[in-house]
Amino acid sequence: MGWESGIQLKVLVTDKVDEKLLNRLRSMGMVIDYKPGIQRDELLKLIDGYHILVVRSRTKVDREVIDRGTSLKIIARAGVGLDNIDVEYALKRGLVIINSPNAATYSAAELTLTLMLMLARNVHLHIFDVKNGKWSKGAYEGVELRGKTLGIVGFGRIGRAVARYAEALGMRVLATDIIDVSRYANELGVKLVSLSELLELSDVITLHVALTKDTYHMINDDRLRLIKDGAMIVNTSRGEVIDTRALLNHLDRLWGVGLDVLEHEPPREDWEFKLIQHPKVIVTPHIGAETVEAQGRIVEELVANIQDALERVRNHG
Ligand code: NAD
């Protein structure tokens, strides 16, 4: 994979990113082709000849894309989740994969809190009524989050940020993870429990795992049955973590569901539209990282990680 430091690097960007990222890469002497929303067929035709591919969550970077990119050295994901990239295959092909894992932590955690608070007070229903000329005071009584139990599934960066906010609201916080997170749990006064216990005990359940083979549909019908009547579920992680069709059968007995992510984005199946239209459900269009601050941090983190990756490729290429 020899790579002299003199060559002009060609970068293909296939999802919408902050203009600043493009300018920063240009200022590093790279040639940028910005094609947000490019369709797969065109991507397959175009990819050969590019050294760096920059994507967000929309572009699927599978074996075929990687194989066609014969000059590809770096895949850069502007964001956290790498579930749209065949990481194992890319690493086997000697590519460097980078992302910006810290940039959106607080934006995603704040959105999680927003969905919890909106659900608790039925804000979505009130907004809808008032906009349609109906003064809905008294129509949908809310609940307080204070004193309620929050269950955090996946006690990583975002899960821990949510725990800090929940403490300020006076919630009791439980968490579950597959790695040892006891140091953080002790620091934050959070009780670690099994997933089953968490589902049985929580008034509000919030999901913060990465999408993997093991987390795909981890909240399935059997697990949904463990959740108590009147509980809320919030998911700002990945849509595929919940079996949406199974969730539909539990909506009547739940308080409400807040989702920033769906199994298909944008939604396309009948069961997804049913979910979106349900009065107990709030859906936002994957806006967890859509803040001025997160997008700014993504640029900084990604540029620094691309510089590091270039060093590595040049030294070991
Ligand atoms: P992270 O890697 O810091 O934390 C994920 C945690 O989940 C880890 O501690 C991991 O051990 C744990 N985990 C993995 N499998 C598990 C399982 N089966 N059961 C319990 N725990 C498990 O990641 P993060 O920065 O906190 O982000 C979490 C996810 O949020 C990302 O992977 C991404 O998919 C999603 N995200 C969404 C948005 C958005 O726009 N809505 C923005 C940022 C991140």
Side-chain angles (χ1 to χ4, degrees):
M1 266 213 337
W3 226 29
E4 315 85 62
S5 48
I7 71 165
Q8 188 166 43
L9 297 175
K10 283 184 72 187
V11 183
L12 180 62
V13 183
T14 60
D15 288 319
K16 193 174 173 302
V17 297
D18 198 304
E19 191 68 25
K20 287 192 209 95
L21 177 62
L22 306 176
N23 291 337
R24 289 287 296 274
L25 297 178
R26 279 189 195 108
S27 72
M28 287 161 70
M30 299 180 190
V31 177
I32 314 291
D33 277 329
Y34 185 39
K35 298 196 177 292
I38 184 177
Q39 292 306 304
R40 188 180 165 76
D41 288 356
E42 206 190 332
L43 170 64
L44 288 172
K45 274 192 231 145
L46 209 70
I47 183 85
D48 200 19
Y50 288 95
H51 304 102
I52 301 177
L53 175 64
V54 178
V55 301
R56 287 184 67 185
S57 58
R58 188 197 65 95
T59 304
K60 296 270 167 289
V61 188
D62 56 15
R63 278 172 185 241
E64 201 180 357
V65 173
I66 294 167
D67 281 340
R68 297 269 185 114
T70 56
S71 307
L72 214 53
K73 302 283 188 285
I74 297 172
I75 300 173
R77 158 76 165 99
V80 193
L82 295 173
D83 43 281
N84 53 321
I85 299 169
D86 189 338
V87 173
E88 209 182 311
Y89 187 64
L91 292 177
K92 218 163 80 186
R93 281 272 323 271
L95 303 191
V96 178
I97 298 180
I98 54 170
N99 63 347
S100 50
N102 301 297
T105 300
Y106 293 101
S107 293
E110 286 186 18
L111 181 69
T112 306
L113 259 286
T114 306
L115 292 174
M116 281 164 52
L117 288 161
M118 283 184 77
L119 285 172
R121 302 303 293 273
N122 290 312
V123 172
H124 55 302
L125 298 177
H126 288 296
I127 290 174
F128 183 80
D129 279 359
V130 172
K131 278 194 188 288
N132 285 290
K134 203 166 133 196
W135 195 249
S136 60
K137 184 176 166 72
Y140 318 106
E141 193 172 33
V143 288
E144 290 183 351
L145 292 181
R146 184 171 188 277
K148 301 291 188 301
T149 300
L150 173 67
I152 300 177
V153 181
F155 204 50
R157 287 172 292 256
I158 300 172
R160 296 196 294 270
V162 170
R164 286 191 193 97
Y165 295 149
E167 203 222 337
L169 289 176
M171 301 184 84
R172 171 178 174 246
V173 185
L174 308 176
T176 193
D177 204 297
I178 46 164
I179 58 168
D180 180 12
V181 287
S182 49
R183 180 167 71 87
Y184 301 115
N186 292 339
E187 251 168 51
L188 296 168
V190 169
K191 186 170 179 214
L192 293 175
V193 293
S194 69
L195 177 58
S196 304
E197 279 176 288
L198 181 142
L199 297 175
E200 282 164 12
L201 295 172
S202 300
D203 302 300
V204 183
I205 293 151
T206 184
L207 307 175
H208 299 290
V209 293
L211 176 62
T212 63
K213 283 197 297 296
D214 296 331
T215 60
Y216 177 84
H217 282 189
M218 85 187 279
I219 305 299
N220 57 18
D221 191 57
D222 286 345
R223 295 217 164 105
L224 285 162
R225 283 172 199 276
L226 300 175
I227 296 175
K228 56 185 177 186
D229 290 354
M232 298 173 205
I233 303 175
V234 172
N235 185 15
T236 60
S237 64
R238 282 291 178 271
E240 295 93 326
V241 173
I242 303 182
D243 179 348
T244 316
R245 271 172 290 193
L247 176 65
L248 276 172
N249 299 326
H250 291 265
L251 282 180
D252 286 344
R253 64 177 198 83
L254 294 172
W255 176 272
V257 174
L259 305 171
D260 185 44
V261 285
L262 293 176
E263 290 201 53
H264 304 102
E265 295 176 6
R268 59 171 195 231
E269 305 292 343
D270 281 358
W271 40 272
E272 286 173 309
F273 292 113
K274 237 188 212 171
L275 183 83
I276 292 168
Q277 295 306 332
H278 197 288
K280 287 189 177 183
V281 178
I282 303 177
V283 177
T284 50
H286 203 145
I287 57 164
E290 297 295 324
T291 62
V292 173
E293 292 81 0
Q295 291 306 310
R297 277 186 225 112
I298 285 175
V299 174
E300 295 311 317
E301 209 175 345
L302 213 63
V303 167
N305 289 346
I306 287 176
Q307 275 165 337
D308 274 2
L310 286 176
E311 289 291 308
R312 266 185 284 155
V313 171
R314 280 175 178 142
N315 290 338
H316 305 290

